[in-house]
Amino acid sequence: HSFHGHRIDSIALRGRLDSKALDWSTIGRVQSDFATHDKLSENELQTLQEKVDRAHTLHRANSIADAAKLYEEVLLIDPLDWDCLSNLAKIAFSEGNYEKAKELFERAVAVRPERDKTVYYP
């Protein structure tokens, strides 16, 4: 399994795998998402970032449903957006949707394993 060229901290990733915080099936799911992510142009990524920024503003203003909708829209186009994965996971957790939260948290940790504490502790 290789994440070269995707700025994945391989030492942190190995640590998450060794500690059983992640398993190889999660890594496989995330790896397959790179094909989608890698096809995005810089302009598309910028447009998505603007949508993420709007979602953050809504989230901070406690417009949770509207923020979640934007996070989900971004993930449909870029399934590796760390901010959307982690924030949508926090929303799912706060709503008691623990299975969805777990899946999103795991994907977020796989994408940015060095930021695992910021995923789990808002």
Side-chain angles (χ1 to χ4, degrees):
H1 295 276
S2 174
F3 290 105
H4 296 299
H6 292 103
R7 299 186 338 246
I8 302 294
D9 183 331
S10 58
I11 295 169
L13 182 61
R14 171 56 59 195
R16 301 314 159 261
L17 287 164
D18 290 347
S19 71
K20 307 286 190 250
L22 290 176
D23 61 27
W24 282 108
S25 65
T26 301
I27 301 302
R29 284 195 309 273
V30 169
Q31 237 180 348
S32 68
D33 289 338
F34 279 114
T36 301
H37 173 81
D38 290 346
K39 291 177 186 172
L40 296 171
S41 71
E42 286 300 316
N43 285 341
E44 289 170 315
L45 289 170
Q46 181 59 39
T47 299
L48 290 174
Q49 184 57 52
E50 291 166 7
K51 193 175 273 198
V52 171
D53 293 343
R54 284 196 311 274
H56 285 162
T57 299
L58 290 166
H59 200 164
R60 283 191 299 276
N62 215 25
S63 294
I64 304 302
D66 292 331
K69 183 175 185 252
L70 286 177
Y71 292 139
E72 288 170 353
E73 288 175 13
V74 171
L75 289 176
L76 287 174
I77 298 166
D78 183 4
L80 297 179
D81 187 286
W82 185 87
D83 287 316
C84 291
L85 289 168
S86 61
N87 287 319
L88 199 54
K90 291 172 187 176
I91 291 169
F93 187 86
S94 72
E95 294 174 344
N97 190 343
Y98 303 122
E99 207 48 47
K100 180 178 181 179
K102 179 181 183 286
E103 187 261 331
L104 290 163
F105 278 137
E106 288 174 346
R107 287 175 45 208
V109 170
V111 171
R112 293 285 175 262
E114 71 281 5
R115 296 182 74 183
D116 65 331
K117 299 292 187 278
T118 59
V119 171
Y120 291 104
Y121 305 104

